[in-house]
Amino acid sequence: MPSGPFASASHEAKRRAIPLPKANANMKTFNPDSSIASDIIPSANFGDRNKGRLPDMIVLHYTGMPDVDSAITQLCTAGTEVSAHYVVLEDGRIVQCVPEAKRAWHAGVASWGGEDDINSCSIGVEIVNRGHDWGYPDFPPRQIAAVIALCRGIILRRDVPSHRVLGHSDVAPSRKKDPGEKFPWHSLANSGVGHWAQPAPIVRGEALKLGAISEEVGHLQQALAKYGYAVPINGKYDGPTMEVVAAFQRHFRPARVDGVADRSTLTTLQSLLTGLSTNARAVSAQ
């Protein structure tokens, strides 16, 4: 029996170990795609990418469950119909559940940039966080550092453009809020992960809101669609438009998420579109 500091370290390691869900005890394992994945817990829930589609998108989620064991079990047990390629724990450990070459079932009904099979074109990363229904705590710095390192590797392996690192709420704005307004997208962008523009200050003034019908609403919808969001272009500030604006705010203007397209929201959106055009010109010149 070990004694001294080694005994306490061994006990701590056992206490923190992730239990393999019983339903997957005999699942075939695989070699991790990421060198920083600390564990492999194979999920039963995956398939082939449709039409040989290669992934060029990363979709970030939060688990939205009370604890990590429940989340891992949900993502890995046959019959739940959900999975993700990776799970990033609060202490920074990374678990891979589905090989990157396969199609994980993380996005559900979703669309971006005219594509509606997001599972086939993306890598899904679940970040352990209880989410809005369970108190929505802050994301620990070690966890965010691990998300950044993981995503940087995926970006290099899969040649993911910066504007295709997205949240679940971006691709499914009517259904999802994750990873939510507390997620530090600016920190990721500062480390080379994702597209970002400094949010414009929130000031008083006129805004586009639910019920408005105008040419300006149509221009807003066109701008959101140009960035990638699935939004009706009808000049009417309807429910779906409000949901998309709220999703945009969660990602890019998190100081106020209300679905109202104020001057701050419109200016921030325009800055992002300008950045996209600049990036496109830089790439075409290479």
Side-chain angles (χ1 to χ4, degrees):
M1 175 74 75
S3 58
F6 294 101
S8 60
S10 175
H11 176 75
E12 177 67 9
K14 289 181 180 179
R15 187 182 68 81
R16 292 171 56 195
I18 304 171
L20 188 65
K22 293 181 180 179
N24 294 311
N26 296 319
M27 286 292 296
K28 184 178 179 180
T29 190
F30 55 89
N31 292 323
D33 291 288
S34 173
S35 62
I36 60 174
S38 60
D39 296 271
I40 297 290
I41 301 182
S43 174
N45 307 318
F46 65 91
D48 293 328
R49 295 183 182 275
N50 289 334
K51 300 179 180 179
R53 179 71 161 88
L54 297 177
D56 62 356
M57 176 189 293
I58 298 171
V59 179
L60 303 180
H61 310 249
Y62 61 42
T63 53
M65 300 190 74
D67 56 70
V68 63
D69 293 344
S70 299
I72 294 284
T73 299
Q74 176 80 359
L75 291 166
C76 294
T77 302
T80 63
E81 302 294 316
V82 293
S83 61
H85 294 91
Y86 295 98
V87 182
V88 182
L89 277 63
E90 293 166 304
D91 62 7
R93 286 180 296 160
I94 297 170
V95 178
Q96 186 167 2
C97 302
V98 175
E100 288 183 9
K102 296 298 184 179
R103 180 180 184 271
W105 305 340
H106 60 96
V109 178
S111 61
W112 186 262
E115 288 189 276
D116 57 12
D117 184 1
I118 299 303
N119 285 337
S120 282
C121 69
S122 66
I123 302 293
V125 178
E126 289 277 357
I127 303 163
V128 174
N129 184 288
R130 295 195 300 275
H132 291 82
D133 292 341
W134 298 91
Y136 194 30
D138 292 335
F139 296 86
R142 284 179 64 102
Q143 186 180 45
I144 296 303
V147 171
I148 290 170
L150 174 64
C151 288
R152 285 175 63 93
I154 297 170
I155 288 167
L156 290 172
R157 285 192 297 278
R158 303 295 174 181
D159 195 22
V160 177
S162 61
H163 61 280
R164 288 176 70 84
V165 180
L166 301 164
H168 200 184
S169 59
D170 292 312
V171 300
S174 65
R175 301 187 300 112
K176 296 296 181 179
K177 297 179 179 179
D178 57 314
E181 61 277 5
K182 287 187 177 183
F183 190 73
W185 289 104
H186 61 285
S187 295
L188 271 69
N190 289 341
S191 299
V193 177
H195 187 213
W196 182 256
Q198 183 64 29
I202 298 173
V203 296
R204 288 188 176 185
E206 294 184 0
L208 301 174
K209 59 184 68 176
L210 191 64
I213 301 175
S214 67
E215 186 177 0
E216 288 76 14
V217 174
H219 292 159
L220 166 64
Q221 293 169 331
Q222 290 173 354
L224 289 165
K226 184 177 181 180
Y227 195 78
Y229 288 95
V231 60
I233 302 176
N234 55 19
K236 301 177 181 178
Y237 208 106
D238 49 17
T241 299
M242 184 175 179
E243 290 168 344
V244 170
V245 170
F248 174 84
Q249 292 170 335
R250 278 194 183 89
H251 188 152
F252 297 108
R253 209 288 306 273
R256 181 188 295 168
V257 180
D258 57 7
V260 174
D262 58 0
R263 181 54 50 191
S264 168
T265 300
L266 297 173
T267 303
T268 303
L269 174 56
Q270 189 56 54
S271 296
L272 288 161
L273 288 171
T274 300
L276 272 187
S277 299
T278 301
N279 290 342
R281 286 196 297 269
V283 170
S284 63
Q286 291 177 358

